[in-house]
Amino acid sequence: MSTALVLFRRDLRLSDHPALHAACTAHDRILPVYVHDSAADGDWAPGAASRWWLHHSLRALDQALSCQGGRLHVATGDPLTCIRQLCIASGARAVYWSRRYEPAAIAHDSALKAALRADGIEVHSHPGNLWQEPWMLTTDSGQPYRVFTPFWRRLSAQLPPPRPLPEARPRQWGIADGSVPIEALKLLPVIRWDAGLAAQWTPGEAGAQELLEIFADDAVNDYAKLRDLPARHGTSRLSPHLHFGEITPRQIHAHLRERAEGADLTPYLRELGWREFAYHLLYHFPYTPHANFNPRFDAFPWAKDDPALLERWQRGRTGIPLVDAGMRELWQTGWMHNRVRMVVASFLTKNLRQHWLHGARWFWDTLVDADLANNTLGWQWVAGCGADAAPYFRVFNPYLQSAKFDPDAAYLKRWLPELAALPAKTLHEAWKNPSALAACGYPAPMVDMAASREAALAAWEALPAA
């Protein structure tokens, strides 16, 4: 009887899983394995919110396997050592996995594949979490894309993609001795601050499918209109499920085409296209998680690091209502509306002139959808130093943004309960009403928005020409 190992990483699902499907087709017995090893992530090991999600996602995967008579074999330590031992114990002569695209993970998987093949073990890597592999789309001159619009034009011309694969069901699930409990990985916080996350999210493949159903029924038809309103659930909120591979872009696309017939899916699919663009950039420009895509910004005069200032931003105590509402939403739920993400990032990098890496690191630790490709693209885009970045002179005004996208201040009042009794107009014009906000125990603004904007623009204009 032929046995294969399927190594699960950020593909924690059973359906539309090319690697698992291929293994089930070629072998009689499948041993599903998760090896916990943060070394493959380099210095971007999962943050606290991501570890919380991973714990619950692994439990969900194990439960799904148990419904088919299997179980997830969990190991911890060096993946090569663990896989070698499991191959000997199970008699497996083949290992399957889904590809990863982060620089450290690519190097790790390449070394793992070479070592296993030197042992005489077959290794099969498969795509699975993107519409297209990052190297498959190039410009007419064969170069990687640096601008989103032509990238999206070429990618969207190739949609719709093939139909999603059905749930994999091997002839027999394998079981090996030595699996450790998921709890032994110690992914959950010792001090249980995660109640807000648990109230908002259901990690796992079933939770992803439920959110997709809700989005298809309630929001996709009005996505272009609702997606910028932070008080509404106008977005799919599927980003953490996508990051952990509990659902695929192919599944989302196919389901929406079927359930939302007649709806204009382009605005939403375009957002998934930005995710693909982020992975395209990370693959072709692997230095960008730590360095500016645009080297002109290497000379930018960032303000001196100020831990006290940074902490006020992190805790939502800046005195700017929309910024503080977003940062408190993040702290409590592990997520933040995308419109607000742009506002809080602009405030940090332009009004406070703190380096974008400070923000990227904080998001990395606190977001349940922390994803190296998307996090890097987003922060460099707002800071003005990335590929296809927002012009540096685009500085988001939090007061105008809240008045436009949260006119009745429902979002502000939800996350800033000390200000809930104040009129919306007072909150949108907080700089005119400092005493009213101070009477509620709310802090004064950290900076003058107009003056800090002018200082940022002056710093940018002083940069050497490209």
Side-chain angles (χ1 to χ4, degrees):
M1 180 174 283
S2 174
T3 300
L5 268 61
V6 174
L7 188 59
F8 285 85
R9 286 94 65 89
R10 284 194 292 276
D11 51 355
L12 304 180
R13 65 185 185 277
L14 299 181
S15 56
D16 197 30
H17 196 304
L20 179 58
H21 187 271
C24 291
T25 300
H27 302 275
D28 302 301
R29 182 189 293 119
I30 303 299
L31 178 61
V33 177
Y34 172 77
V35 180
H36 188 65
D37 171 42
S38 59
D41 299 299
D43 58 356
W44 289 96
S50 292
R51 293 194 297 272
W52 176 90
W53 190 287
L54 176 60
H55 172 92
H56 293 287
S57 189
L58 289 172
R59 292 196 59 163
L61 178 61
D62 187 49
Q63 184 176 10
L65 287 165
S66 70
C67 291
Q68 292 192 18
R71 60 173 292 192
L72 180 65
H73 185 97
V74 178
T76 182
D78 173 55
L80 178 58
T81 301
C82 294
I83 292 170
R84 279 173 168 163
Q85 292 172 346
L86 284 170
C87 286
I88 292 171
S90 65
R93 302 305 301 165
V95 178
Y96 291 75
W97 67 58
S98 301
R99 297 185 192 118
R100 297 180 293 179
Y101 308 100
E102 296 81 4
I106 289 174
H108 178 275
D109 287 354
S110 297
L112 181 60
K113 181 182 290 187
L116 291 173
R117 285 179 172 171
D119 291 345
I121 297 172
E122 297 178 21
V123 180
H124 304 276
S125 62
H126 291 263
N129 293 331
L130 298 171
W131 271 323
Q132 291 279 9
E133 298 294 80
W135 54 85
M136 292 182 68
L137 294 180
T138 62
T139 65
D140 291 339
S141 61
Q143 298 300 309
Y145 284 95
R146 296 166 178 260
V147 178
F148 174 72
T149 299
F151 172 86
W152 171 242
R153 189 181 302 120
R154 178 153 293 185
L155 175 62
S156 61
Q158 300 181 14
L159 302 178
R163 294 288 300 175
L165 297 167
E167 182 175 274
R169 290 184 175 270
R171 287 180 280 278
Q172 181 180 336
W173 289 110
I175 296 177
D177 293 333
S179 179
V180 302
I182 294 170
E183 287 73 16
L185 304 180
K186 297 181 179 179
L187 297 167
L188 295 177
V190 175
I191 300 173
R192 298 306 297 268
W193 48 260
D194 54 332
L197 275 63
Q200 289 283 329
W201 302 102
T202 304
E205 187 172 8
Q209 292 295 330
E210 181 180 3
L211 270 187
L212 179 58
E213 290 280 354
I214 293 171
F215 182 60
D217 288 342
D218 299 342
V220 69
N221 285 298
D222 296 318
Y223 177 77
K225 180 173 62 177
L226 298 179
R227 65 179 179 178
D228 283 321
L229 307 180
R232 298 286 299 273
H233 278 184
T235 63
S236 71
R237 297 171 66 88
L238 285 168
S239 51
H241 297 284
L242 280 163
H243 171 73
F244 285 93
E246 299 164 354
I247 195 169
T248 69
R250 186 161 60 180
Q251 288 176 302
I252 295 171
H253 189 188
H255 187 81
L256 293 180
R257 289 183 67 213
E258 180 180 331
R259 288 291 303 277
E261 188 175 355
D264 180 11
L265 301 180
T266 301
Y268 180 72
L269 297 179
R270 184 180 172 90
E271 293 305 307
L272 291 179
W274 273 102
R275 177 176 180 268
E276 299 275 325
F277 186 51
Y279 275 89
H280 179 85
L281 292 173
L282 181 63
Y283 177 80
H284 289 286
F285 307 99
Y287 59 87
T288 51
H290 302 97
N292 301 316
F293 179 89
N294 182 351
R296 183 186 180 206
F297 276 79
D298 293 348
F300 186 81
W302 298 103
K304 182 180 179 181
D305 289 354
D306 186 334
L309 176 150
L310 188 61
E311 184 177 9
R312 286 188 63 181
W313 175 80
Q314 292 169 342
R315 304 299 179 187
R317 299 290 295 171
T318 68
I320 311 295
L322 185 57
V323 173
D324 291 342
M327 298 307 291
R328 295 190 200 180
E329 179 187 24
L330 171 61
W331 183 253
Q332 189 166 327
T333 71
W335 192 82
M336 189 193 303
H337 188 278
N338 189 60
R339 167 64 53 176
V340 186
R341 292 189 197 199
M342 293 188 289
V343 172
V344 304
S346 176
F347 181 78
L348 181 71
T349 58
K350 295 179 178 175
N351 298 101
L352 300 183
R353 284 208 359 248
Q354 294 292 297
H355 197 288
W356 59 267
L357 268 171
H358 291 305
R361 287 288 184 186
W362 184 249
F363 272 26
W364 186 256
D365 193 46
T366 53
L367 281 171
V368 292
D369 64 358
D371 181 279
L372 191 60
N374 288 317
N375 199 42
T376 301
L377 171 66
W379 275 97
Q380 292 219 33
W381 184 88
V382 173
C385 57
D388 199 14
Y392 189 82
F393 52 79
R394 184 183 185 187
V395 181
F396 286 86
N397 184 313
Y399 300 120
L400 296 179
Q401 291 284 311
S402 65
K404 182 175 181 180
F405 297 111
D406 187 34
D408 59 359
Y411 179 78
L412 297 182
K413 293 182 179 186
R414 178 181 180 187
W415 297 111
L416 306 173
E418 68 268 37
L419 302 181
L422 297 179
K425 184 177 177 62
T426 299
L427 300 184
H428 299 318
E429 299 180 351
W431 78 96
K432 294 181 179 179
N433 307 280
S435 59
L437 276 68
C440 300
Y442 189 68
M446 293 176 65
V447 293
D448 178 273
M449 296 301 298
S452 58
R453 178 182 184 275
E454 291 305 314
L457 295 181
W460 171 68
E461 290 171 354
L463 281 177

